[in-house]
Amino acid sequence: MNPRECRTAIRDARRAALVDRLGQFTLQEKVSLCRGSDMWHTTPVPRLGIPSVMVADGPHGLRRQPDHGDPVGIGRSLPATCFPTASALGSSWDPDLVEEIGTAIADEALAQGVAVVLGPGINIKRSPLCGRNFEYYSEDPLVSGTLGALVRGLQSRGVGASVKHFAANNQETDRLRVSADVDERTLREIYLAAFERVVREAQPWTVMCAYNRINGIHASQHRWLLTEVLRAEWGFEGVVVSDWGAVHDRVAALAAGLDLEMPPNTEVSDAALVAAVRDGLLDEKLLDRAVLRVLSLVDKATAARRANGFDAAAHHQLARTAAADCAVLLKNADGVLPLRPDAGDLIAVMGEFARTPRFQGAGSSQVNPTRVDVPLEELREAVPAGVEVAFAPAFRLDGDQDARLTAEAVALAKRATTVVLFLGLPPAAESEGFDRDHMDLPANQVALLSALRAVNSRVVVVLANGSAVCLSTWEDDASAVLECWLAGQAAGGAIADLLLGKANPSGRLAETLPLRLEHSPAHLNFPGEHGHVRYGEGIFVGYRGYDFADRQVSYPFGHGLSYTTFAYGDVDAVVTGSVEGDDLAVELTCTVKNTGDRVGKETVQLYVGAPHGKVTRPVRELKAFVKISLYPGEQRTVTFHLGARDLAYWSSAHRRWVVEAGTYQLFVGASSRDLRLSTTAAIAAPDIPVPLDAMATLEDWLADPAGADALRRAVGTDTDGAPLGILGDPSLMRLLGNFPLHSLANFPGVGFDQATVAVLLERFAHNADVSG
């Protein structure tokens, strides 16, 4: 028996044992198992030896509340390592790094008795204004889904993950009530794709439903989402847990597939479920199914090993390495970075963020760090002997102008060899619970940069922000811009490493930085009104929208500079298998060489452009990527593998993934707009017939060979063999060809009537069923 078969056998045996025990539970005990016992624990059943298990917040570090005291208090959690937030980790493009962080968080969870960590968040960054963007990885579902590798890291140690927030949770405005009104194609291609990847590849122990409604139905009671898609299509086997307070109708939620309500609404939910079962309104088999899932979760959690502690120093070092790998060098004019200070040089460090670092966001993800590296102190320790590092706070964090602070900063900048200016968003600007109003840095910070540039031409800007900011109004005044995001408790040390060249920047943007907020594809439809937000941009989110509109941006998706350079070459693509045979494969190879004098990491990105077909598609879409490390002069062959799904779009007409025949463009590059290599792949695929039903147009019927033949036979021909009715009149065909067949049948002289249409529909009913 191979390892997979062993795991399956063990799982089946455990499930069988749980099923055998199900009859021992009373109805009230079953109901109690489907909600928590308090804010952070499942419900125990002491009579049957069922313990409770603990869950805790923790997308980028554990937020485990003390056993006594305020159960919600954001700032009173037990100390834990604060790793870079998801906005930073997204820019790492490194699933192995994210998995390693997941493993570290799991060890801390085990040490603190936590069975399930509530993360990662893999929602798409639809708008730059979403207040919770710092908790999400990317505007692209492939990046978000791949970096869901955090799940593998957590669960490799026997700690469960809770992938959230399922689904279309892309804003904080009216977040518990707003309906995300979105078509199925957009859902499938953009907002569900990351969840699908994580579920299929990692089987998280739990999936957390979102607060919002989707097309009018609360996510907590959305049967299509929780049962038909998540379980039936993707094969999810774990527990669906509510976000805290997301359940509005407990009976409807359980029937839809939500197993565990958090926090407990004991009096209301218990009574409602018991009454629904006793009155025959809820099949007890559905309740049993939820109970079995929760029992399975408890069984897995209690089987995990328990650790006595964790290595805080090692985890801090991992956080420092990660923060360095996440930073994106956006601009580096004249190679001002890395700094090369000599004895006698003066580095002027400016900005309160250098002394009072901002390294995480606010809300349920806020970690009580084990320690915090201060950038100013780290730089002072790292510079060579004889180099002075002087500091000026330079601006107020509340946004008010302070002439005295500005004057002190300008005076120091005049004497400095280089100015390192720490800018960013103050804590009050972004958080869970509300969205931002704009993308701008505080005006006092921008004004300060301008004043410093007037007296010193070497100004390096270091950014601390969880969400994207506009650079177009100020970046010309900066020689270099290093985007560090909210990079965790060790960000200060990582920044020193990056500025002085001990570390080489390798982060790449996981979201586009537009020139203006108004250029965002979602701008006209965010955050909605009267309880609804319309996803009017459809699939054209992020770079898909910017590229399709050919709109200039500050920095494109995938962009990031390095202290070394890379050359691409020798691209080749080979197509094997077929769409019909369900074994289509495209293998693309290329070479990448480090042509500089430093060790560096390059993220090689593969984009696919589809041929013109039946639906509008993006100019190109990211379909694969890999991050590689190369020594100076080292060259490596990179190989990518694509399948049919990578070339497909979701057909709303056929309710399935569809690959169209044609020549696909394959681009390899360093960003969505820095495309170094290109080739093509000719793909053969069967025709995709339109379902021939009553709403199919005359043009649809004539485009289908069998449909056209049947229609022509029904209409008939004259003695010369020319078609009768509308089929023999080109002008009428042009005028009425886009009418559904059943509508045309009411017109005189078209050559067929409703009886004819009924016969045709009966004949092609099977075709419609298969296509639909």
Side-chain angles (χ1 to χ4, degrees), residues 581-613:
D582 197 28
D583 60 351
L584 177 69
V586 180
E587 181 180 276
L588 183 142
T589 57
C590 66
T591 58
V592 181
K593 182 177 182 179
N594 184 342
T595 54
D597 58 4
R598 288 175 177 263
V599 175
K601 297 177 182 178
E602 178 72 330
T603 297
V604 188
Q605 303 161 40
L606 172 60
Y607 295 84
V608 174
H612 293 294

Side-chain angles (χ1 to χ4, degrees), residues 59 86 118-123 135-137 144 150 162-165 195:
L118 303 178
I122 59 173
N123 294 102
E135 286 191 55
Y136 303 141
Y137 292 123
S144 296
L150 189 84
S162 192
V163 180
K164 61 185 189 180
H165 306 89
F195 289 97

Side-chain angles (χ1 to χ4, degrees), residues 297-614:
L297 173 67
V298 173
D299 183 53
K300 286 187 289 188
T302 53
R305 66 176 180 82
R306 289 289 176 260
N308 295 321
F310 61 92
D311 189 337
H315 286 189
H316 185 80
Q317 182 57 50
L318 174 59
R320 181 168 179 158
T321 299
D325 273 7
C326 295
V328 183
L329 182 59
L330 296 174
K331 176 181 179 180
N332 194 21
D334 301 321
V336 65
L337 290 180
L339 302 178
R340 304 170 182 84
D342 292 323
D345 285 347
L346 169 62
I347 298 175
V349 175
M350 309 273 192
E352 186 60 44
F353 291 120
R355 181 173 63 182
T356 311
R358 180 163 180 253
F359 55 88
Q360 65 176 321
S364 61
S365 68
Q366 188 168 318
V367 178
N368 180 13
T370 57
R371 56 183 278 198
V372 177
D373 287 351
V374 177
L376 176 61
E377 297 174 0
E378 296 292 331
L379 270 171
R380 282 176 168 160
E381 291 182 9
V383 295
V387 175
E388 181 183 358
V389 176
F391 172 71
F395 58 81
R396 292 166 56 103
L397 290 179
D398 62 9
D400 290 344
Q401 296 282 357
D402 190 314
R404 180 184 61 82
L405 291 179
T406 300
E408 290 177 355
V410 169
L412 177 59
K414 287 179 180 179
R415 301 188 294 112
T417 309
T418 302
V419 174
V420 178
L421 176 60
F422 286 75
L423 302 179
L425 296 176
E430 55 183 345
S431 168
E432 177 184 355
F434 60 86
D435 293 319
R436 296 191 294 164
D437 297 322
H438 57 77
M439 288 182 63
D440 301 323
L441 286 177
N444 64 334
Q445 296 185 29
V446 175
L448 173 71
L449 171 60
S450 179
L452 297 178
R453 178 68 178 196
V455 298
N456 193 312
S457 62
R458 288 171 56 90
V459 181
V460 174
V461 170
V462 178
L463 287 172
N465 48 289
S467 305
V469 297
C470 278
L471 293 88
S472 57
T473 58
W474 56 263
E475 69 166 321
D476 287 346
D477 288 331
S479 300
V481 180
L482 184 65
E483 173 61 89
C484 295
W485 306 107
L486 299 181
Q489 67 182 51
I495 290 168
D497 293 340
L498 291 161
L499 292 176
L500 297 173
K502 182 178 179 181
N504 190 348
S506 65
R508 302 294 181 261
L509 289 177
E511 58 190 294
T512 307
L513 300 184
L515 290 173
R516 302 173 58 201
L517 169 64
E518 292 78 8
H519 292 172
S520 166
H523 179 65
L524 293 178
N525 294 292
F526 184 93
E529 56 195 8
H530 305 304
H532 291 264
V533 54
R534 188 173 69 89
Y535 283 43
E537 69 282 359
I539 62 171
F540 294 97
V541 178
Y543 72 92
R544 290 168 169 81
Y546 293 110
D547 289 352
F548 192 84
D550 196 22
R551 192 180 294 279
Q552 185 180 356
V553 300
S554 284
Y555 294 100
F557 175 81
H559 169 78
L561 304 177
S562 171
Y563 295 153
T564 190
T565 54
F566 300 93
Y568 290 64
D570 305 321
V571 66
D572 185 46
V574 176
V575 179
T576 58
S578 68
V579 174
E580 282 186 294
D582 197 28
D583 60 351
L584 177 69
V586 180
E587 181 180 276
L588 183 142
T589 57
C590 66
T591 58
V592 181
K593 182 177 182 179
N594 184 342
T595 54
D597 58 4
R598 288 175 177 263
V599 175
K601 297 177 182 178
E602 178 72 330
T603 297
V604 188
Q605 303 161 40
L606 172 60
Y607 295 84
V608 174
H612 293 294
K614 296 182 184 297

Side-chain angles (χ1 to χ4, degrees), residues 24-67:
Q24 302 174 36
F25 291 87
T26 66
L27 177 58
Q28 182 61 54
E29 287 169 339
K30 290 180 184 179
V31 165
S32 70
L33 280 166
C34 294
R35 45 90 175 155
S37 59
D38 58 25
M39 279 288 292
W40 304 111
H41 294 83
T42 62
T43 298
V45 183
R47 183 180 70 84
L48 297 175
I50 306 298
S52 69
V53 297
M54 186 178 193
V55 304
D57 284 317
H60 56 267
L62 203 62
R63 192 177 77 88
R64 201 274 206 197
Q65 296 305 113
D67 293 327

Side-chain angles (χ1 to χ4, degrees), residues 53-59 62 102-103 105-107 109-110 113-120 148 150-163 198 202-208 236 238-239 241 296-306:
V53 297
M54 186 178 193
V55 304
D57 284 317
L62 203 62
T103 302
I105 293 174
D107 286 343
L110 289 170
V114 172
V116 177
V117 173
L118 303 178
L150 189 84
V151 173
R152 288 199 303 271
L154 286 167
Q155 296 186 174
S156 70
R157 288 289 203 261
V159 172
S162 192
V163 180
V198 174
Q203 272 295 337
W205 287 11
T206 74
V207 167
M208 182 189 294
F236 177 61
V239 167
V241 59
S296 178
L297 173 67
V298 173
D299 183 53
K300 286 187 289 188
T302 53
R305 66 176 180 82
R306 289 289 176 260

